Each structure stands twice: as C-alpha cells, then as structure tokens.
Amino acid sequence: MARPYRPGPKQFVFTVGDGDDREVSVADSQEAYWAFAAFFRERESDTYTIEDTSAKQRLVLMPRLGVISRFGYGDQPRSEHLRVDTVNRYVPAAGLFFENGYAGLDRFGQWFPDLSDLDLAPEARGAARAATFTTEAAALEETARIWADSGIVDPSGRYHVFFDSHGVDDDRAERAELLQLIEFLGLERAEPPAGAAGGEVWVRSAPRLDAECARWA
C-alpha cells in the first residue's frame, strides 16, 4: 500500500505542450501514478512534463528522443538526463518520481549532467559513466544495480549472470560500463557456457558481490 503524502493531498501538474494541462490533487504516490498513466495513454506527444511546484522539481519524458530529464530548481539547481530504449520505461520513471521526487530516480539508469553526453556512442557513454565511480563501495552498488535490472544467479550459485538472455546489440552502454566496473573492482569474469545469449556477462561470485546483489534482489 502506498504511503500517504504528509502533508497531503499533494498537487502535480501534467502538461504536453498543447495547453491542455491537467492539475491533480492526490493522496499518495499510487494515486498519482494511476492519474499520470491515464494522462500518458490518452495523448501522443513529443514531451510530457510532470511538475511538483511544492518541491521545486520537474520530470520531463521525451519518447520521440528517447530521453528522460529531471530537474531541481530550488536553492541549488540541478539537472540530469537519461537515454532510454523502450517506451515502457516512461511511466515507471514517473512512478518513482511520485514516490521520492528527484532522488527516487537515482538508480533508474545511467544519468548524465550534460544532455550532449547522450549523443555519445553507447560504449563511450558507458565508459564515461563508469569513470564517475571512484570508490569501491559506489562501484559495487552500481554493479549490483545493473545486475538487478536484468540479471540472475546461475543454478550452481557460482556465477552472477548480467543481461540474462540479452543479445549483443542490447544494453550496449550498460555493458560497457559494467566491464569497466568489473575491472575496477577486481572481480573475475567467466566464459559463458555453450548456448548462452551473446550479450550475457558471467562473473564469478564473491562474498562482497553476493552481499550487495542480495540487497537489490
């Protein structure tokens, strides 16, 4: 059950740039999610904006560009941008924003402070993202985030499989990031077994990796 907003209700404004703005007053994040999901389905637009004026935060979804942007415009303005590949990422992003605002999307994917970074080739984008993690704790947490999004533990329990059943053309930016993080952390890659999908990355289990991934499972 969604946690009620306190103080509540909370107001959000949904816009698509055609003047047909919708202001909603909702008791909790689940109610906000369903209201926006209906708004999103009813329209076909280049840009969808969710405004939380009380928190001075904004989420912008741009399906035609394949981009999600988040903005905080309080005393310390900030913004970050994310490249997404599938349309089913937009409404879940909104759901995280309704739950915990700007910070709710921290672990949603590869955020970059400069919109132009999203124009880099996927491998360059992944390498740039990996370079931002300079401590073992942060790198391990990011590795576990990537695993939690599309990974499994193989039946033997000896390996963490990243990008389970994915092809080599999928997840190129995150795979490039992961490979650098594995090297930084000194984890051991393993040869995938015969019949494994071409995009899978197999990593030998280690206590610190096991513990961090268990937190995300």
Side-chain angles (χ1 to χ4, degrees):
M1 184 175 179
R3 183 177 69 252
Y5 290 129
R6 300 190 186 282
K10 191 175 180 66
Q11 284 73 42
F12 294 95
V13 179
F14 307 152
T15 63
V16 292
D18 62 359
D20 185 20
D21 300 354
R22 181 171 300 177
E23 183 172 345
V24 298
S25 180
V26 290
D28 56 46
S29 59
Q30 189 66 47
E31 188 178 349
Y33 173 88
W34 290 119
F36 180 74
F39 181 84
F40 187 85
R41 286 195 305 267
E42 291 166 2
R43 291 158 177 79
E44 185 173 344
S45 178
D46 293 344
T47 302
Y48 301 79
T49 299
I50 302 169
E51 192 86 31
D52 181 353
T53 54
S54 63
K56 297 184 178 179
Q57 295 179 354
R58 178 186 305 124
L59 186 69
V60 182
L61 313 175
M62 294 170 271
R64 298 278 171 81
L65 294 179
V67 172
I68 297 174
S69 296
R70 57 178 178 168
F71 301 86
Y73 50 92
D75 295 336
Q76 296 181 320
R78 52 185 175 158
S79 61
E80 289 185 301
H81 313 277
L82 172 71
R83 174 72 68 190
V84 292
D85 299 322
T86 59
V87 70
N88 62 5
R89 298 280 280 174
Y90 296 103
V91 175
L96 293 173
F97 184 74
F98 294 133
E99 288 177 9
N100 288 301
Y102 190 105
L105 288 139
D106 284 350
R107 298 181 176 90
F108 193 63
Q110 295 179 323
W111 293 97
F112 291 91
D114 193 331
L115 189 58
S116 65
D117 288 334
L118 302 186
D119 293 329
L120 295 171
E123 289 74 16
R125 199 163 70 243
R129 170 76 174 177
T132 66
F133 297 94
T134 58
T135 68
E136 179 174 309
L140 196 59
E141 183 179 37
E142 178 70 355
T143 300
R145 178 196 68 78
I146 295 171
W147 174 82
D149 194 44
S150 59
I152 62 168
V153 176
D154 88 300
S156 74
R158 294 187 298 158
Y159 305 99
H160 280 77
V161 182
F162 294 77
F163 312 114
D164 176 47
S165 302
H166 290 208
V168 292
D169 292 327
D170 303 325
D171 315 293
R172 289 166 54 194
E174 291 217 326
R175 188 177 297 105
E177 178 188 3
L178 173 67
L179 295 179
Q180 288 207 24
L181 292 173
I182 289 171
E183 183 176 354
F184 175 75
L185 290 167
L187 297 172
E188 182 183 350
R189 286 188 65 187
E191 190 70 25
E200 293 181 356
V201 177
W202 286 57
V203 178
R204 192 174 299 278
S205 294
R208 55 186 171 146
L209 180 62
D210 295 347
E212 189 63 33
C213 287
R215 292 180 55 232
W216 289 77

